[in-house]
Each structure stands twice: as structure tokens, then as C-alpha cells.
Amino acid sequence: MDVTLTMDTAQPRRLDQMVQGVLGGAMARPEGPLKVRGAATYAAEHAVADLAEGVLVRATITKGKVKAIDEAAALKLPGVIAVLTGGPLLRNPAQGQASEAPEQVLPEVHYFGQPIAVVVADSFENARHAAQTLRVTYTEAKAEVDPETASTVERPKKSQIETGDFDAGFQAGAHQIDALYHTEPHTSAAMEPHASIARWDQGRLELWGSYQMLKHNVAELADAMGLPESKVRIHAPYVGGGFGGKLGIAPEAVAAAHAAREIGRPVRVVMARQQVFDMTLRRTETAQRLRLACDATGKITALAHEDRVSNLPGESYSEPVAQGTHFLYGGADRRFTHEVARVHRPAAGSVRAPGEAVGMIALECAVDELAEAAGIDPVELRLRNLPKTAPKGDLPFSENALGRCLKEGAARFGWDKRGTTASRRDGDWWVGLGVAAAVRTNVLEESIARVTLEPDGSATVATDMTDIGTGTYAILSQIAAEMLGLRPDQVTVKLGDSDLPKSSGSGGSFGAQSCGSAVFLACQGLRAALAKRLGTTEEELTLKDGTATSGNRRVPLADVLDSGLSATGHIKPGDTEDDFAIAGYGAHFAEVRVHAFTGEVRVARMLGIFSIGRVLNRLTAESQCHGGMIWGIGSALSEELQHDRRDGRIVNHDLAGYHVPCHLDVPQLDAVLLEDTRDDQANPIQAKGIGELGISGAAAAIGNAIFNACGVRVRDFPATPDKIFPHLPFDDWG
């Protein structure tokens, strides 16, 4: 049976009436023991017979054409099977949900590090050695690599928005802020590098890869290889992190598939860490101008958020920097401008919380500056500016607990003890507190799942959904167990196989709610079928501890099943996404210590309060919040891709030079979920995404705390000591 729901209206809170009591609890991941024992098989670890190894070769110019590749010396080396320089090699990865292959432009080169060849040998070492011996000659062309001076700057029409009269409204404000902020590029830097194994069997391509969205990845790989989608199957049962970097098919997958077809045997291609940095998507740098004006009471009357980002020529994606701004604060006079500089750096694309992760650094620091100018407490200023309807489109909020998050966070964090700027000193350290709002747009994606009640009363969930370390196996187990009255260990979840029913995939913080809704609907279908067999209605049926109860009749679930029972759930977005502003909300609070003589910043503690509708698994949700907050620490203090200004190459393309927070950088993090909230317009399980909400605004809270600690306002992130030291109040050497 097929249960299909299009989200056109608010849905009843059916899960609130279930009695098994497993949903929302802090359930550990069922696949966790496999991972800690090394028994969970990741992309490069699958045992495939007669496997050859491929190594990608990168361009060493920024723009031009490959004139010739001398393969002769490489082909004479031991174990070398082939050097492939043509065919369907990708210029760069596909953006998430592209469902088509990116450009394949060889022999043209568009950025330093672009893949131009793949060398195949009987071992990785032999392939790498041969790749290093290739002699490549180029015809070079002039390249522009600096977004600030780029000659081609585009302004997408849909991103230029003006309401009211901003110029007049800004000038009329009692207090005004006009500030320019910069954020440096980021990379996903997932622990598992991009890796693929490709095998052909009677014209069908089978690929084991590290990917997040299989239904789109199948379409992209099929397009790249000139195949119908029915001829491609992708396996991704375990993915060692994605953060957006594995949304779309990447060069190593196409190289492996192409090489395997050419040499007639399976091929594995694993990117080295430096190749991951060079050949996968980066988050763009941003330049953002924020102008805010408020009246004498602190009410924001005018707001402008103008930004410039960059990408390769021809790429359609551009970072939606002001995305969060549309949800947060009012003001009748508003202006948004968005520019895309076309430069020859590696392609820009989605990285965790595209838009909000960097846009809210500037917005929330600017709001703090406005509070300072108006002489109003930063929490209070935000509370005074909570709109009744969404500023963009004047839509009603489906659910908005931002005010509650701010108030509860302030009380828990001890905000009332926050002193004035540069007023608190502990030995050689200035100490300060900062706050920032958090928002992340919420999306429901079409998703399908099949749930089967087996003859013994256990259940099997099947969908091509992926688990990128976010807890999908656990969450889908809990939803099915709650709906069917089972223990989670009685539910088997099958994921990461593109031959299974097509789900939303993991990304955009929509995976759990979209795929979870499909599982919920399938279970509703099973409940209806069971009720019919018992001569009752679904509403009157109680399933608990493997037993079905209706009225005075109580029977083991297995006795009702005979040969088993299966149902498919199918969720589709509908009118609610157009009729309501649907987003998750939160508030970040940070305490920092700034060294009085060096400008070193240490985060002493952080608190995040989050409203995400129904909490599906408290443990995995809190873990997602912690991960986002840690990334916020990195964005605030250390993470930056550094491009050589001469040729655009990434110069710190490994985890030695790209500084993610380590254990000693991260203090005790407290993530508090408002577990009693529900969002009836979001989906039938009333849940909203959490994976990206935790990063949104987190870096701004740290930046604002730095100002409160020592009086230095950082507008260029990350806030490294060199940006703080020259402005420290050295008149008091303590």
C-alpha cells in the first residue's frame, strides 16, 4: 500500500498519541559499535575482486588549456595500466541536488588544481608514482583570482530586493550603524576523504561512494557517463562526514567509472587530503555591508544587507548570504543586494549552513553594534525587534520561539552579570560575554520509504537515505518503533543503496524530517492495515511492546501478520512552504577570554538554546548542536582557506594548515533543546532541521564577546590575534 501526503495544510500531532515511549529519547546509534570496531565499511573499504587503483592529476596553471601530456615515461613504470587524459573527467563537483553532471571542459583549465587526468595502476603507490612523472605542457591565459578586483561581477535579479525607502529611512534613524564585514573561505574537511570504487557488470555501473544524496547522485553520474539512470547503482551505507562537500557527484567518482570502463576491471580512486581541498567545493569568502538604523526606543526602522561572493565563471550557485536576515528583524525600509564576482578559484558551493553560517556573523555583530550605539542591552534590543510576521513576504511564522530562546538563554547563562565593555579582568585576561540569535531556514523535500512488518513481528525500514554521521539509523528506528509499538532493536534500517526507495538524501537540514515523515506515513499505512485486520480503526488501535490492543482485545503483533505486511510512505512539499515562514530558531551565548598582551582569544564556555519543533532523538540532536557550535568557534577564531593572490591556488590545503578547532580550543558546550515545541506546518512529524542551526550565529556570539571583553570590534573573520592585538587597551598594563 502507498500512503502519500502533500503538505498543503497543518497536520495533526499523531505522534503525541503514541505510547511506546522511544521517540525523542537519547538513543545511541545502532551502528555505533560497528564504527568503533572498524567494521562499518566506508567507500574505499569494500572488498571488490581484481581492483586497480587510480590517482587523479591536478593542473598546475590557473587558466588556459592542456597542450600535451607526455605519458610515455609513466606507462613504462612498473604496474601502470593506463593514463586517461580525455573522456568525462569533471571540472569540479556538482552542486547539491543538481541531478546533472557539472561541466566537462577538458582540455580547458579554469583553476589551479583542476583534475586533468587519472593514472591507473596495480597499486596506489605505483599509480601515485606514475602520476608524479607525467609531463604536462599548457597554453596559459590571463586569470583573475581576486574577488575584490574582478572585472566581471554579476547581480542576480532575484537577489536584489528593496522595500520602502531605505535611504530616507536610514538617514532618519536616531542611531545608525554602517559597517563592512569580511569572512574568509571555508572547506567541509570531512574526516573521510572523497573516495569511489567503480565496477561495470553487463553495461550497468555499480559505484561505492561517499555521497549524501543518492537519487541526485545517480542522475549526475548517469549524465556524466552517458547512461540512463537505470544503469547506475550507488552504495553509500556509511559516510564519514559530508557538511555539503559530498552533496553532488565529484571528480573521483567519474574518474573511477571512466577508468573502470576503459580498462575492463574495477577501479578505486581515493582523493588525498590536498586533492579534497583543491577539487571539491569551498565556501566562498564574503564581503558584507550592514546598515542598520533604529529609533530612540531601539526599534529597527531601516536595514540593508549587501554582499559580494565569488564563484567560477559559468557556475549557477552563489552563497545566499542574507538568507537568515529575512527571518529575523523587522524594519519597513529594507535593501538587499547580492553580487557574484567571477574568478578562477576552485568552485564555490554549499558548505554547512550555506548563507546563514557567514551571513549571520555580519548581521548579528552589526545588531550588537547597534545596541552599543543605542545604549540598549543586546538581548533586549533583539527582543524589541522580533517581528510578528516574516519581514520577507509578510508571511505568518509557522512557529517562532526566538524570544523564548533569548530569555531562557540569558537566564541560564548569567547574562545579568555581563559588565560594560572592557570592565572585567582576570589577571592577564580580559573577560566578556556575547550573544547572537540563530536561525536556519527549514525545508521539506520529497521522500519515499518502505516499512515492512516481518512475520515474527519485527520491522524493516528501507530507503536510499544516507547517514553522514548524523544519526539517521537511530532516528528512523525510533520513528518506526514508536509507531509500531516495538523496541528499536526490533527495527532493521537499510540505507545508502540507490536501488531502495528514493529519499531526500542528507543535506540542508532536511534529511531527518523529510525521510522521517516518509517512514511515519508508511507506518500509518501499516497501522491502518492492522486495524482493519482487527476490525477496528487506526485511531482506536494501540501498539505497544509488540502487542496490538483494541478495546478488550489484546493479541501479539506477530499473530496478526501471517506472512508479513508492507507499506510505502511518500511525503511531498506543498502549500505550507509558500503560506508560512518556516525556520528553526535559537540563541547563542559565549564567554571569552582575551589575552591583554597578545590578543589570543579563548572561548571559556558556550550555551545554545534551540527550538526545532519535535525532538526526534535528544542525543543526536544535541550532538548536531555541539558540532555546529564547534564549527562556529572555528569560523570565529581560526578557519580560513588561504588563496595565493597570484594564481588563486589554495596554499593551506591540508589539516595542518587549515586550522579546525581541536580539543583544547573547545570548552564545555551546553546545548538545550526546547522539547515541548511543535511545528504543525513543517511536516506530519512536526520536526525541524537541527544540523545547520547550531552553526548559525555561533561565531557572532564569540565576536560580540570579544568586544565586550576588551573593546576591540573585529569585522574581519576569523578573529586571529593580529587583528586584535594592535587595538588592545594597552594604557592599562595591569
Side-chain angles (χ1 to χ4, degrees):
M1 71 190 74
D2 183 6
V3 180
T4 300
L5 173 67
T6 301
M7 273 299 297
D8 289 329
T9 60
Q11 294 300 302
R13 300 177 181 180
R14 191 72 181 99
L15 277 168
D16 285 350
Q17 299 163 4
M18 298 296 112
V19 296
Q20 185 64 17
V22 298
L23 192 62
M27 174 184 159
R29 302 176 189 181
E31 83 284 7
L34 295 176
K35 291 180 175 178
V36 299
R37 295 201 314 266
T41 309
Y42 288 87
E45 300 173 333
H46 291 273
V48 177
D50 197 28
L51 188 64
E53 303 286 350
V55 169
L56 289 163
V57 179
R58 291 170 286 177
T60 56
I61 65 167
T62 303
K63 184 182 178 184
K65 290 186 177 181
V66 175
K67 188 175 181 180
I69 298 179
D70 186 352
E71 309 166 8
L75 289 170
K76 293 177 182 177
L77 292 172
V80 175
I81 300 169
V83 178
L84 304 174
T85 60
L89 295 182
L90 298 183
R91 174 173 81 158
N92 52 266
Q95 173 57 30
Q97 300 175 288
S99 292
E100 62 182 9
E103 286 192 68
Q104 296 158 285
V105 295
L106 288 175
E108 294 182 21
V109 174
H110 288 267
Y111 62 91
F112 197 104
Q114 177 184 315
I116 58 172
V118 59
V119 178
V120 185
D122 59 357
S123 71
F124 169 75
E125 291 77 12
N126 285 339
R128 182 177 59 182
H129 182 203
Q132 292 170 343
T133 66
L134 286 184
R135 291 192 292 272
V136 184
T137 55
Y138 302 92
T139 301
E140 291 195 60
K142 184 179 179 180
E144 292 189 83
V145 299
D146 188 346
E148 294 184 10
T149 60
S151 60
T152 301
V153 178
E154 300 168 359
R155 301 183 76 181
K157 186 176 180 180
K158 67 178 182 179
S159 300
Q160 318 307 316
I161 302 170
E162 182 140 4
T163 56
D165 187 340
F166 172 76
D167 291 325
F170 183 72
Q171 292 299 323
H175 305 284
Q176 302 162 337
I177 292 296
D178 185 346
L180 184 63
Y181 288 84
H182 291 88
T183 63
E184 295 299 325
H186 297 154
T187 185
S188 295
M191 281 198 294
E192 181 195 19
H194 284 63
S196 291
I197 297 174
R199 178 176 68 187
W200 292 82
D201 184 10
Q202 297 182 341
R204 192 182 195 208
L205 171 60
E206 192 168 18
L207 184 126
W208 291 265
S210 188
Y211 286 108
Q212 298 179 225
M213 296 182 166
L214 298 194
K215 70 178 178 183
H216 299 291
N217 304 144
V218 164
E220 293 151 5
L221 188 55
D223 186 35
M225 302 306 298
L227 297 169
E229 292 181 29
S230 61
K231 292 292 186 178
V232 176
R233 182 182 187 182
I234 298 178
H235 303 271
Y238 304 105
V239 180
F243 310 116
K246 298 171 182 175
L247 293 176
I249 211 75
E252 102 292 335
V254 176
H258 173 47
R261 183 165 61 183
E262 290 298 309
I263 70 171
R265 60 188 280 195
V267 173
R268 171 168 54 198
V269 179
V270 180
M271 286 192 188
R273 182 63 65 185
Q274 294 82 0
Q275 292 177 326
V276 172
F277 275 64
D278 286 345
M279 296 182 186
T280 64
L281 299 175
R282 64 181 173 94
R283 191 202 302 281
T284 177
E285 71 296 321
T286 73
Q288 304 178 55
R289 185 185 184 189
L290 268 293
R291 285 181 284 173
L292 303 175
C294 69
D295 62 21
T297 69
K299 192 75 172 178
I300 294 174
T301 55
L303 182 155
H305 196 163
E306 301 166 284
D307 66 83
R308 176 178 288 194
V309 300
S310 73
N311 209 340
L312 281 169
E315 292 298 311
S316 61
Y317 176 83
S318 63
E319 182 96 11
V321 173
Q323 188 165 252
T325 308
H326 295 302
F327 284 86
L328 282 177
Y329 307 117
D333 301 315
R334 303 168 72 82
R335 176 179 293 164
F336 295 86
T337 64
H338 177 63
E339 296 181 343
V340 186
R342 296 300 179 183
V343 295
H344 291 271
R345 292 181 173 184
S350 292
V351 177
R352 192 176 197 176
E356 290 95 339
V358 285
M360 290 192 63
I361 295 176
L363 173 67
E364 286 300 292
C365 286
V367 169
D368 225 61
E369 292 199 50
L370 185 65
E372 183 75 14
I376 300 172
D377 177 85
V379 171
E380 178 60 28
L381 183 80
R382 288 170 170 82
L383 291 172
R384 292 183 189 183
N385 284 285
L386 299 180
K388 294 182 179 178
T389 58
K392 184 180 180 181
D394 196 30
L395 293 174
F397 293 107
S398 60
E399 181 270 343
N400 183 342
L402 176 56
R404 181 179 166 191
C405 291
L406 286 164
K407 292 176 182 177
E408 290 197 17
R412 285 174 177 264
F413 201 67
W415 185 255
D416 58 334
K417 297 180 178 62
R418 175 181 180 266
T420 56
T421 303
S423 63
R424 185 178 168 195
R425 186 80 169 264
D426 180 11
D428 289 345
W429 298 87
W430 294 103
V431 182
L433 305 185
V435 65
V439 66
R440 170 64 185 170
T441 183
N442 192 80
V443 179
L444 177 68
E445 291 286 337
E446 183 176 10
S447 201
I448 304 172
R450 182 174 63 248
V451 181
T452 302
L453 275 170
E454 309 294 349
D456 63 358
S458 65
T460 301
V461 176
T463 171
D464 77 350
M465 180 64 179
T466 52
D467 190 322
I468 59 175
T470 48
T472 307
Y473 283 101
I475 290 167
L476 299 189
S477 296
Q478 288 172 278
I479 294 172
E482 189 67 55
M483 289 292 290
L484 300 176
L486 302 174
R487 300 187 312 273
D489 63 2
Q490 293 176 287
V491 180
T492 299
V493 177
K494 297 181 178 179
L495 302 178
D497 182 343
S498 64
D499 278 1
L500 297 175
K502 298 185 182 302
S503 74
S504 61
S506 298
S509 297
F510 51 63
Q513 54 173 313
S514 300
C515 192
S517 292
V519 171
F520 167 82
L521 293 174
C523 291
Q524 273 199 320
L526 291 174
R527 289 176 60 88
L530 291 170
K532 185 176 181 180
R533 292 186 180 188
L534 291 170
T536 187
T537 65
E538 190 273 328
E539 292 78 9
E540 294 174 335
L541 176 67
T542 298
L543 298 177
K544 183 174 174 59
D545 298 332
T547 299
T549 303
S550 176
N552 293 324
R553 187 179 180 190
R554 191 167 183 270
V555 296
L557 188 58
D559 291 353
V560 190
L561 291 174
D562 300 326
S563 60
L565 192 61
S566 185
T568 298
H570 189 174
I571 186 71
K572 299 179 181 179
D575 292 343
T576 58
E577 70 175 9
D578 298 320
D579 296 341
F580 293 87
I582 306 176
Y585 293 89
H588 291 283
F589 293 82
E591 178 181 306
V592 305
R593 300 165 68 85
V594 182
H595 198 277
F597 311 131
T598 68
E600 177 190 353
V601 179
R602 296 182 182 178
V603 181
R605 58 191 178 104
M606 284 188 76
L607 167 69
I609 308 284
F610 303 102
S611 172
I612 57 168
R614 186 188 304 277
V615 176
L616 302 176
N617 182 318
R618 181 164 48 82
L619 183 62
T620 59
E622 289 176 353
S623 178
Q624 286 290 289
C625 295
H626 289 154
M629 293 164 73
I630 292 168
W631 201 322
I633 294 173
S635 299
L637 301 181
S638 64
E639 291 193 45
E640 55 178 328
L641 283 180
Q642 297 171 340
H643 292 271
D644 190 314
R645 291 192 174 273
R646 297 167 298 178
D647 56 21
R649 79 173 80 184
I650 298 172
V651 297
N652 60 334
H653 56 178
D654 55 36
L655 292 175
Y658 182 81
H659 296 150
V660 300
C662 66
H663 285 80
L664 290 178
D665 298 316
V666 180
Q668 175 63 42
L669 302 177
D670 292 321
V672 177
L673 306 172
L674 302 184
E675 298 192 43
D676 58 344
T677 60
R678 301 285 185 270
D679 195 325
D680 301 326
Q681 311 292 345
N683 47 66
I685 60 176
Q686 293 84 36
K688 292 189 286 193
I690 185 59
E692 294 164 302
L693 181 62
I695 188 178
S696 302
I702 295 169
N704 292 334
I706 292 171
F707 176 77
N708 179 246
C710 64
V712 179
R713 177 63 71 181
V714 179
R715 298 190 182 97
D716 186 358
F717 287 84
T720 46
D722 58 295
K723 299 169 186 173
I724 298 172
F725 172 81
H727 310 289
L728 287 169
F730 287 125
D731 54 318
D732 175 15
W733 288 77

